[in-house]
Amino acid sequence: MSIYDTLNDRQQEAVFYTEGPLLILAGAGSGKTRVLTHRIAWLIDQIGVNPWNILAITFTNKAAGEMRERVDQIVGFGSESIWVSTFHSMCVRILRRYIDRLGYDTNFTIYDADDQKTLIKDVCKYLQIDTKMFKERSLLSAVSSAKDELVTPEEMTLRAEGDWAKKKIAQVYTEYEKQLKANNALDFDDLLLKTVQLLQTQPDVLEYYQERFRYIMVDEYQDTNTVQFKLVSLLAGKYQNLCVVGDDDQSIYKFRGANIMNILNFEKEYPNAKVIKLEQNYRSTSTILNAANEVIRHNTGRKEKSLWTENGEGEKIQFRQFDSAYDEADYIVSDIKDKVNSGKREYKDFAILYRTNAQSRIFEEKMVVSNVPYKIVGGVNFYARREIKDLLAYLKTVDNGKDDLAVRRIINVPKRGIGLTTIGRVQDYATEREISFYEAILAAGSVPGIGRALGKIESFAALIEHFKAEGERMSVAELMDEIIDATGYVEELQADSDEEAESRLENIEELRNKIVAYEESCEAEDEKSTLSGFLEQVALVADIDSLDEETDYVVLMTLHSAKGLEFPHVYLAGLEDGIFPSYMTITADDPAELEEERRLCYVGITRAKENLTLTCARRRMVHGETQYNKMSRFLKEIPLSLLSTGALFKKEQTEEEPKVSAYRQAKQAFATKAFAATKPAQQFTVTKGKGPGYDVGDRVRHIKFGEGLVTQITEGGRDYEVTVDFDTAGTKKMFAMFAKLQKID
């Protein structure tokens, strides 16, 4: 029996179709990685394609590693010649070889998000931009979007004619690019943009890579942006043997520039393309899939498909509604603990998914109290920590002296008595002469007004030159040790009584572990380990890559981070209108916004293999205020026949009054005016079961006050007292009979 006999009919069709453009619409859990790896094996084994001529592109380092492993297992000999990499890694390899054609040195630095922030600050300062009017984050976002859409600074300047604000942004973009070039640095967007520019302007380089990559496969094609689409089109331009795999129903990265039209319009771009749908799911139960299909069916901008499975029906989806977010977290953590204590589950079988990072805090607190091990994916990145940034800046300076940001970061770390005034004078000298900051340091004797700081700057320059000389004969790990010893960085931390000092030292140790691991992996692949190579690897590490599947802990992550992963039991929390879908989405004029949120919900549901629990809360603290929300419209799109509400939910539905904490009760009592006459409590006699026609959390309309949110309903006498928080008129109390409020659906 051959390896191809284990594939289903549709999978086989996708594997055996090798010539010309191919779109594989692969639903969640339909075995797309398996199809890609078997397709590579088929090309080599049966078609006789040289592994050298195959390129496979993925989005994360984790996915690239998994694919590489699987290809090695199936193909064996020759598989090391196949390029399996992320878009960014591939572009770095091309640019390291040819970027000098665009006027850069091949030892360029890659700027991470923090470096970009520092640079944009400098640019704003230099151009005297009012950062209250033009937020640094917004400027960076505008620059990134421009690069994603292949818009140059010159083009942006032309488009901005007549618009003052746009002209300012174009000015920032122009200076930002100038500074990057001066620092011999590229940001993440540049890695793609410069590669496209290189292929567009250098016909011989384009021809080389078109010949090299005769067979191209792209995973997660629905997440590609305009510049990635252009890059793939250029590389596949000659032979057209382009196979793209994706699922338009899982396109959730619009905020990062992903363009769903790339996959929806694939047949327009390649009229002779073949389309194959993979609809058989191997991950989930049919109950989970039916729920996912029902939700996504409400989207119009999609290619028709419906997931099915032979896995069996499985358990019903658990649905629980709680009074507050605290009750929600309490239930989920207790439920996990009970299931683990029963001996049938481990902590790593569970994942809690939510819409925003802020929702993780309550779960974290409950986990700590309940002694449940957990890990947040997508929290503070290891490489964003201060001590790690410092030591990496030393390595960057040794590797590329033109990286001004790195040099400025470490010139007084550990403290050497070089003040901001001195740094400012050196910077002015560098700017005037259009040289790098480090070159100005080497010529510090010529900098006017430097005075007594000259000796300190010269000793810093001598230190860096020493590291550069040592770095040529030392391994990266040895160089790191030398930097730590010679600078006294660790000694300074050890002398610090700060309670964080210990964890900082542990982080430095972890960085050393990372360097050693990098050197060992180079040795295993028979490659030379270099400082540039290590810094490159660090720059390309994604948050998700830090997820260790072998460690026993509950995973907490946003829905965006969960894409591509699977867990036996998933809790999807915070399913309320205003939270998920978000308030911004609900109120947006563009219906495509809501469709993107629904795709995100679809991604969340399809992460579950065996069990899925959906939860929501009637009230939740948002931005320091209690918010009353209706259950999510996505919940209502799931047929009731697929849901189990359980005894807890039924009990909680009967509860009308929100619970008041002991702290709030005390606070209210304390705030009561002295000697104020106490109002006698009203006796309520309203007949049960006949409500006013709306509930707490519903939106209503009043003839005079307009629209608002019902925050409280109290039974009294022959009527209901209703408290409404109106959008424009503020909070009002009124009797339902006279108010004649209309519920807004």
Side-chain angles (χ1 to χ4, degrees):
M1 182 175 163
S2 88
I3 58 167
Y4 308 107
D5 293 337
T6 59
L7 304 171
N8 66 41
D9 293 349
R10 292 280 77 79
Q11 288 176 330
Q12 283 183 356
E13 190 184 357
V15 166
F16 301 156
Y17 190 89
T18 58
E19 305 305 307
L22 170 65
L23 168 61
I24 303 173
L25 286 170
S30 61
K32 62 180 175 72
T33 310
R34 198 161 179 231
V35 167
L36 280 175
T37 49
H38 281 71
R39 196 170 184 272
I40 293 170
W42 180 261
L43 283 168
I44 297 167
D45 288 346
Q46 304 298 319
I47 310 297
V49 174
N50 187 333
W52 173 261
N53 295 134
I54 299 172
L55 168 66
I57 305 173
T58 65
F59 265 80
T60 65
N61 295 315
K62 184 172 184 284
E66 280 175 6
M67 192 179 286
R68 162 69 62 201
E69 260 176 57
R70 290 206 208 177
V71 168
D72 286 348
Q73 285 165 8
I74 298 174
V75 176
F77 182 72
S79 66
E80 65 281 352
S81 305
I82 305 164
W83 265 31
V84 182
S85 75
T86 63
F87 271 105
H88 290 98
S89 299
M90 174 186 78
C91 291
V92 169
R93 282 180 76 171
I94 294 171
L95 293 172
R96 286 281 180 222
R97 191 168 173 186
Y98 290 110
I99 199 170
D100 54 340
R101 304 269 190 105
L102 299 177
Y104 289 79
D105 287 350
T106 50
N107 66 331
F108 56 84
T109 300
I110 303 167
Y111 275 7
D112 64 12
D114 273 7
D115 296 331
Q116 286 176 267
K117 280 178 200 163
T118 308
L119 186 57
I120 210 87
K121 269 185 186 155
D122 292 348
V123 167
C124 289
K125 198 172 171 185
Y126 176 69
L127 296 174
Q128 296 179 320
I129 300 284
D130 183 359
T131 51
K132 288 191 178 79
M133 189 178 287
F134 295 94
K135 296 278 188 295
E136 288 154 2
R137 191 188 295 173
S138 306
L139 290 169
L140 270 177
S141 176
V143 169
S144 181
S145 297
K147 290 182 180 184
D148 283 352
E149 294 300 318
L150 297 163
V151 176
T152 62
E154 294 76 23
E155 211 174 320
M156 189 187 265
T157 306
L158 285 170
R159 289 185 189 180
E161 253 342 290
D163 188 318
W164 179 82
K166 284 181 179 173
K167 278 175 85 170
K168 281 284 177 196
I169 296 168
Q171 202 182 347
V172 168
Y173 183 15
T174 306
E175 185 59 30
Y176 176 81
E177 283 301 282
K178 191 179 161 188
Q179 295 280 346
L180 273 175
K181 185 114 189 242
N183 289 355
N184 195 37
L186 303 180
D187 63 20
F188 262 73
D189 299 310
D190 279 331
L191 296 177
L192 300 163
L193 181 62
K194 298 298 177 197
T195 307
V196 167
Q197 288 174 351
L198 180 73
L199 298 177
Q200 285 175 327
T201 58
Q202 309 295 319
D204 60 320
V205 177
L206 176 62
E207 192 183 357
Y208 171 80
Y209 284 108
Q210 283 180 338
E211 282 297 331
R212 168 84 199 262
F213 304 129
R214 295 187 182 198
Y215 293 86
I216 299 171
M217 276 156 273
V218 184
D219 196 7
E220 306 286 7
Y221 193 67
Q222 76 281 347
D223 294 334
T224 52
N225 58 24
T226 304
V227 69
Q228 287 163 336
F229 166 77
K230 187 69 187 172
L231 180 62
V232 170
S233 304
L234 284 164
L235 291 172
K238 186 171 183 181
Y239 290 99
Q240 301 267 303
N241 294 327
L242 172 63
C243 166
V244 302
V245 185
D247 181 5
D248 51 306
D249 290 335
Q250 295 187 71
S251 177
I252 58 173
Y253 292 122
K254 189 182 173 189
F255 67 98
R256 285 187 195 166
N259 185 354
I260 194 171
M261 299 317 292
N262 289 349
I263 193 165
L264 294 178
N265 292 342
F266 187 80
E267 294 121 294
K268 282 186 187 170
E269 196 67 29
Y270 299 94
N272 60 332
K274 185 173 179 64
V275 180
I276 298 170
K277 292 179 185 177
L278 303 182
E279 293 172 296
Q280 185 176 354
N281 176 287
Y282 293 92
R283 177 187 296 156
S284 309
T285 64
S286 62
T287 299
I288 291 168
L289 293 183
N290 290 341
N293 287 332
E294 285 298 320
V295 170
I296 203 67
R297 201 169 47 80
H298 288 79
N299 274 6
T300 53
R302 63 186 291 263
K303 291 182 179 285
E304 192 52 48
K305 59 187 156 315
S306 186
L307 295 180
W308 62 276
T309 186
E310 292 175 348
N311 287 348
E313 192 176 322
E315 290 180 24
K316 282 193 173 186
I317 295 165
Q318 301 297 312
F319 170 52
R320 301 285 186 272
Q321 187 177 28
F322 301 96
D323 188 47
S324 72
Y326 287 96
D327 297 338
E328 177 187 50
D330 206 27
Y331 169 79
I332 291 174
V333 174
S334 302
D335 197 43
I336 292 172
K337 207 162 180 183
D338 290 348
K339 286 183 167 73
V340 171
N341 289 341
S342 71
K344 292 176 184 174
R345 290 281 181 215
E346 294 177 277
Y347 286 118
K348 65 181 179 186
D349 294 335
F350 298 90
I352 304 171
L353 310 181
Y354 35 77
R355 179 64 184 83
T356 61
N357 268 312
Q359 288 167 261
S360 71
R361 183 186 62 82
I362 295 176
F363 291 110
E364 278 195 85
E365 287 173 5
K366 295 286 181 189
M367 297 269 186
V368 171
V369 170
S370 306
N371 203 23
V372 172
Y374 71 93
K375 173 159 184 179
I376 292 184
V377 176
V380 179
N381 189 330
F382 175 78
Y383 297 103
R385 292 169 188 166
R386 191 182 77 201
E387 60 281 7
I388 304 303
K389 294 276 298 176
D390 287 347
L391 292 174
L392 287 176
Y394 270 104
L395 293 177
K396 285 176 183 177
T397 303
V398 172
D399 187 47
N400 171 21
K402 289 184 181 175
D403 186 347
D404 286 4
L405 294 188
V407 182
R408 287 215 315 259
R409 182 180 183 96
I410 57 165
I411 190 167
N412 200 37
V413 174
K415 288 187 171 55
R416 300 187 174 88
I418 302 170
L420 288 173
T421 309
T422 304
I423 293 168
R425 282 173 182 154
V426 175
Q427 185 60 65
D428 291 345
Y429 182 82
T431 308
E432 281 166 22
R433 282 157 182 75
E434 294 189 336
I435 58 175
S436 73
F437 184 77
Y438 185 67
E439 284 170 330
I441 281 174
L442 292 174
S446 308
V447 177
I450 206 115
R452 287 180 298 176
L454 178 63
K456 294 165 185 173
I457 287 179
E458 284 179 341
S459 67
F460 170 73
L463 191 66
I464 299 298
E465 289 300 308
H466 163 74
F467 292 150
K468 284 188 174 199
E470 293 293 289
E472 285 174 13
R473 62 173 191 83
M474 284 180 168
S475 70
V476 183
E478 287 169 343
L479 177 63
M480 183 84 269
D481 288 345
E482 177 64 18
I483 289 169
I484 289 168
D485 285 345
T487 59
Y489 191 94
V490 167
E491 284 169 23
E492 191 179 66
L493 271 182
Q494 285 168 335
D496 196 343
S497 58
D498 185 0
E499 53 190 27
E500 284 184 13
E502 191 61 39
S503 74
R504 293 188 188 284
L505 289 167
E506 285 168 9
N507 290 338
I508 292 171
E509 197 50 46
E510 190 55 36
L511 180 64
R512 280 202 79 266
N513 296 344
K514 171 71 186 170
I515 294 172
V516 171
Y518 159 73
E519 289 178 337
E520 283 173 358
S521 70
C522 286
E523 201 175 319
E525 289 169 25
D526 209 14
E527 284 180 14
K528 191 175 184 302
S529 61
T530 62
L531 179 55
S532 297
F534 172 69
L535 291 170
E536 204 169 280
Q537 197 182 85
V538 166
L540 297 170
V541 169
D543 280 352
I544 198 70
D545 294 345
S546 67
L547 180 57
D548 180 4
E549 287 160 6
E550 297 309 306
T551 311
D552 194 27
Y553 46 59
V554 178
V555 174
L556 278 69
M557 58 171 72
T558 63
L559 286 151
H560 283 100
S561 299
K563 191 166 161 292
L565 303 174
E566 56 182 46
F567 302 90
H569 199 135
V570 168
Y571 296 87
L572 193 43
L575 279 160
E576 303 128 40
D577 269 11
I579 304 292
F580 186 38
S582 68
Y583 181 71
M584 295 284 284
T585 306
I586 297 168
T587 54
D589 295 330
D590 186 2
E593 297 288 326
L594 188 61
E595 295 216 344
E596 175 112 347
E597 284 285 282
R598 189 173 281 109
R599 289 195 292 272
L600 193 55
C601 184
Y602 174 83
V603 166
I605 293 170
T606 53
R607 296 312 93 198
K609 292 164 75 173
E610 299 165 30
N611 303 103
L612 175 64
T613 301
L614 307 173
T615 64
C616 62
R618 292 192 186 90
R619 59 189 174 92
R620 175 182 305 273
M621 190 70 79
V622 179
H623 306 305
E625 292 180 358
T626 300
Q627 216 176 68
Y628 295 86
N629 299 314
K630 290 196 295 186
M631 66 173 66
S632 171
R633 60 197 66 199
F634 301 149
L635 272 172
K636 295 172 185 174
E637 291 167 0
I638 299 172
L640 279 169
S641 59
L642 301 175
L643 297 175
S644 165
T645 56
L648 185 74
F649 174 55
K650 287 171 188 161
K651 176 182 83 71
E652 294 214 342
Q653 254 192 333
T654 62
E655 287 179 18
E656 287 292 334
E657 288 294 315
K659 295 171 194 167
V660 180
S661 70
Y663 168 74
R664 267 185 72 191
Q665 283 175 338
K667 195 175 170 187
Q668 284 168 356
F670 202 76
T672 306
K673 287 179 185 171
F675 311 111
T678 53
K679 194 177 171 184
Q682 278 183 295
Q683 299 302 307
F684 303 132
T685 56
V686 175
T687 313
K688 296 281 182 192
K690 289 190 178 178
Y694 42 78
D695 294 315
V696 171
D698 284 343
R699 286 191 66 77
V700 292
R701 188 181 286 110
H702 186 272
I703 193 162
K704 181 181 174 186
F705 302 130
E707 290 182 13
L709 187 78
V710 178
T711 58
Q712 198 173 350
I713 299 174
T714 311
E715 296 174 359
R718 290 180 300 278
D719 203 354
Y720 291 84
E721 189 185 71
V722 184
T723 307
V724 183
D725 188 7
F726 289 103
D727 297 351
T728 51
T731 302
K732 306 281 182 190
K733 283 190 178 184
M734 55 195 76
F735 285 107
M737 196 185 294
F738 299 105
K740 293 187 171 52
L741 296 168
Q742 286 184 318
K743 184 179 171 182
I744 305 169
D745 290 316

